[in-house]
Amino acid sequence: MGRKAGSKILKRSMAPNFWSLAKKQKRFVTRPHSGPHNLKSSMPLTVLLRDILNLTKTYNESKYVINEGNIQVDGKIRRDTHFPVGLMDVIEIGKINQIYRLVPSNNLLSPLLISPEEKNMKLCKVIGKKSLNQNTYQYSLHDGRTLLLSSETNISVGSTLKLEIPSQKVLKVLELKKDNLVALIGGQNKGNFGKIINIKSSSISRPQILEIEVNTNLIEAPSRITMVVGKNKPELHLYGD
């Protein structure tokens, strides 16, 4: 019989590949709770600590570290061992004074060690926009956040916001436009970065397609699997030197 949707465990064979699990050693693994990221694009804190960063050896070790309040996600202490972390989240591990950002990679997501100067900044893609009244827009971001901003901002869906966290103050708006730099966050080219050369018009039946120059090669990708990260260079540290 299959497990209920609210189950706290998941068959290892059903876990996303980027969790890097030894799937034949044990049958089950911690399932992330419902939260800011969905199952296919996130991992629970226990998996990040034990299987990705190799900072703990067992679930109980991970649980102890998390319950002690040693883990901050986007500037807030998280004590839920099942809390889901995903794209661009900032994870600070107090006991060892290390800070990671989950960045796009060919494995979908990888933790990148970042400096303390960047721990209070995050890039968030605008995936939805709704007018609440003539003075206010509600913006939905890729990590589950919603922001209420003045209608004077008028930010387009597909743009990226550089936020101060945890205050959520908007530091900069990076628009989806020609010559800006994007990260591929899905598809066969995920983890690559490139410059937008052209934006093809979309329609009801055809998604918006970007022509992107990646390492002198020209590729096409739907805008939904891209994320604007800067102009001439990324606004934040997003890949190794």
Side-chain angles (χ1 to χ4, degrees):
M1 290 180 63
R3 296 252 163 199
K4 293 181 179 180
S7 176
K8 293 183 178 181
I9 58 176
L10 178 72
K11 285 186 177 181
R12 286 188 170 228
S13 60
M14 301 297 290
N17 289 332
F18 69 91
W19 287 17
S20 301
L21 300 176
K23 296 183 180 179
K24 293 185 178 180
Q25 289 183 358
K26 294 183 180 180
R27 189 177 178 189
F28 297 106
V29 68
T30 304
R31 181 188 185 98
H33 283 156
S34 298
H37 304 279
N38 63 42
L39 173 64
K40 292 182 179 180
S41 61
S42 67
M43 66 186 83
L45 282 175
T46 49
V47 168
L48 176 66
L49 293 181
R50 183 189 62 201
D51 302 287
I52 307 296
L53 294 175
N54 298 311
L55 295 175
T56 57
K57 293 182 179 179
T58 66
Y59 170 82
N60 285 336
E61 281 185 20
S62 302
K63 182 178 180 179
Y64 175 79
V65 171
I66 295 167
N67 286 345
E68 285 290 297
N70 292 301
I71 308 297
Q72 291 189 48
V73 179
D74 291 348
K76 294 184 179 180
I77 293 175
R78 299 294 182 182
R79 288 186 167 89
D80 178 5
T81 56
H82 297 256
F83 186 81
V85 290
L87 181 66
M88 297 297 177
D89 284 354
V90 176
I91 296 93
E92 183 173 4
I93 305 170
K95 284 237 175 186
I96 58 175
N97 295 317
Q98 289 187 347
I99 308 161
Y100 294 89
R101 188 186 312 281
L102 292 180
V103 299
S105 74
N106 58 11
N107 199 30
L108 190 64
L109 284 177
S110 294
L112 178 70
L113 199 61
I114 63 172
S115 68
E117 289 75 24
E118 285 201 356
K119 74 175 185 178
N120 294 323
M121 292 181 284
K122 182 180 183 180
L123 299 180
C124 291
K125 181 176 179 177
V126 179
I127 61 171
K129 174 182 177 181
K130 182 167 65 173
S131 176
L132 298 184
N133 53 55
Q134 63 180 15
N135 298 316
T136 308
Y137 280 128
Q138 176 180 289
Y139 295 96
S140 302
L141 308 185
H142 85 275
D143 64 349
R145 297 172 194 267
T146 56
L147 296 183
L148 301 181
L149 300 175
S150 165
S151 57
E152 294 178 358
T153 57
N154 198 22
I155 301 165
S156 300
V157 172
S159 298
T160 295
L161 305 182
K162 182 179 180 181
L163 297 182
E164 178 182 79
I165 51 175
S167 72
Q168 302 196 136
K169 177 183 177 182
V170 178
L171 302 176
K172 185 177 285 190
V173 178
L174 304 170
E175 297 178 357
L176 182 67
K177 64 180 184 180
K178 184 179 176 181
D179 293 331
N180 276 357
L181 186 67
V182 294
L184 278 296
I185 58 176
Q188 63 182 8
N189 292 294
K190 58 184 179 290
N192 284 305
F193 294 79
K195 184 172 71 171
I196 299 174
I197 301 301
N198 184 38
I199 300 176
K200 295 184 177 180
S201 299
S202 60
S203 67
I204 295 176
S205 60
R206 185 179 65 247
Q208 186 179 57
I209 299 295
L210 307 183
E211 292 182 347
I212 306 167
E213 184 180 45
V214 178
N215 298 325
T216 71
N217 296 318
L218 191 63
I219 67 169
E220 291 189 349
S223 60
R224 63 178 174 79
I225 62 168
T226 70
M227 182 179 194
V228 186
V229 295
K231 294 185 177 179
N232 297 317
K233 62 179 183 179
E235 282 289 324
L236 299 174
H237 185 204
L238 298 180
Y239 44 76
D241 296 329

